[in-house]
Amino acid sequence: MRTNSMAIKRIIAAISFWAVILVATVAYCSPIDRWNSISQKATAHLSWAKDVVAHTEGSPVISPLWVCVKEEHLLFGLDGTSKTVFAVWPVATGRVKGQKQKVGDMRTPEGDFTVQRIDDASFWQPYKDKKTGETIGYGPWFIRIKTPPWTGIGIHGTDDDHLHEIGTDASHGCIRMANHSLLELKALVAPGQRVIILP
């Protein structure tokens, strides 16, 4: 029994290692290169999506908006004033692909939404996944998105045991990030900003 437990811990450690490598790889990829590969998808919501250019380092971000591309498991930060892309982070989205249909279907809703509010989630208790029995944490912040008719959808962090799920279909419908990425996002996000979620 102890041998099995040690083997499982080694497997989890290996998966977590490769998850960190994935996060680092995306962080070093140019945000504009990543954006150019998906800009066509965003044209229905942003008429200027194909005109986006790289953000000049050190320039202020004046009017941030956020674009999540579920298929690519990426969240982009765009400046609507300068029409630039200034950030890209890997994320996990809903376990089930497609548009959200009902409560509990583990799909991330698609559409043009807004940030509703930012909640301090540092004291929130981890939740138990009813399907897997795993306990999963929210990280330090919960950026609640107004996604009518659905409630309870947001961008949040994760615990170390589930870091390896970033970049996959793994959430219950939220957009899940590594905590260090979430802190970068939190520094720029505010209620009322647009959040576009694409298939």
Side-chain angles (χ1 to χ4, degrees), residues 81-154:
T81 298
S82 61
K83 296 182 174 54
T84 59
V85 58
F86 60 84
V88 60
W89 299 281
V91 297
T93 52
R95 288 185 190 182
V96 179
K97 293 184 184 298
Q99 176 65 293
K100 191 160 189 65
Q101 303 292 319
K102 62 182 182 177
V103 173
D105 66 5
M106 296 195 179
R107 291 182 172 98
T108 301
E110 299 161 9
D112 204 326
F113 308 116
T114 56
V115 174
Q116 187 171 11
R117 68 176 188 263
I118 303 164
D119 297 325
D120 179 353
S122 61
F123 61 91
W124 290 10
Q125 296 299 316
Y127 66 91
K128 187 163 188 174
D129 186 314
K130 291 178 183 173
K131 294 205 180 221
T132 67
E134 294 178 294
T135 301
I136 303 170
Y138 287 98
W141 299 98
F142 189 90
I143 300 166
R144 194 170 299 278
I145 306 170
K146 191 172 185 179
T147 57
W150 318 109
T151 59
I153 302 294

Side-chain angles (χ1 to χ4, degrees), residues 145-174:
I145 306 170
K146 191 172 185 179
T147 57
W150 318 109
T151 59
I153 302 294
I155 304 170
H156 63 81
T158 193
D159 56 90
D160 289 344
D161 289 341
H162 295 87
L163 184 61
H164 66 278
E165 294 178 342
I166 303 301
T168 69
D169 298 322
S171 79
H172 286 196
C174 288

Side-chain angles (χ1 to χ4, degrees), residues 28 42 66 163:
Y28 285 108
W66 314 98
L163 184 61

Side-chain angles (χ1 to χ4, degrees), residues 1-197:
M1 191 70 153
R2 185 173 176 175
T3 304
N4 287 343
S5 176
M6 289 179 70
I8 290 169
K9 285 181 181 179
R10 284 189 187 121
I11 290 168
I12 290 171
I15 291 170
S16 295
F17 170 80
W18 287 110
V20 169
I21 295 299
L22 170 68
V23 169
T25 300
V26 172
Y28 285 108
C29 289
S30 162
I32 190 65
D33 290 341
R34 299 306 290 253
W35 178 259
N36 287 338
S37 70
I38 63 89
S39 63
Q40 182 64 39
K41 284 186 175 188
T43 55
H45 296 277
L46 294 172
S47 60
W48 45 271
K50 288 198 228 175
D51 301 325
V52 168
V53 295
H55 193 78
T56 304
E57 192 171 336
S59 296
V61 176
I62 305 211
S63 52
L65 64 103
W66 314 98
V67 179
C68 178
V69 185
K70 290 168 33 175
E71 185 179 14
E72 304 295 328
H73 301 103
L74 295 173
L75 177 66
F76 291 89
L78 300 177
D79 186 339
T81 298
S82 61
K83 296 182 174 54
T84 59
V85 58
F86 60 84
V88 60
W89 299 281
V91 297
T93 52
R95 288 185 190 182
V96 179
K97 293 184 184 298
Q99 176 65 293
K100 191 160 189 65
Q101 303 292 319
K102 62 182 182 177
V103 173
D105 66 5
M106 296 195 179
R107 291 182 172 98
T108 301
E110 299 161 9
D112 204 326
F113 308 116
T114 56
V115 174
Q116 187 171 11
R117 68 176 188 263
I118 303 164
D119 297 325
D120 179 353
S122 61
F123 61 91
W124 290 10
Q125 296 299 316
Y127 66 91
K128 187 163 188 174
D129 186 314
K130 291 178 183 173
K131 294 205 180 221
T132 67
E134 294 178 294
T135 301
I136 303 170
Y138 287 98
W141 299 98
F142 189 90
I143 300 166
R144 194 170 299 278
I145 306 170
K146 191 172 185 179
T147 57
W150 318 109
T151 59
I153 302 294
I155 304 170
H156 63 81
T158 193
D159 56 90
D160 289 344
D161 289 341
H162 295 87
L163 184 61
H164 66 278
E165 294 178 342
I166 303 301
T168 69
D169 298 322
S171 79
H172 286 196
C174 288
I175 298 168
R176 195 191 304 170
M177 308 176 74
N179 291 340
H180 69 274
S181 300
L182 181 67
L183 293 174
E184 291 172 4
L185 173 64
K186 163 66 170 62
L188 291 165
V189 77
Q193 292 174 351
R194 286 176 80 184
V195 180
I196 299 167
I197 304 177

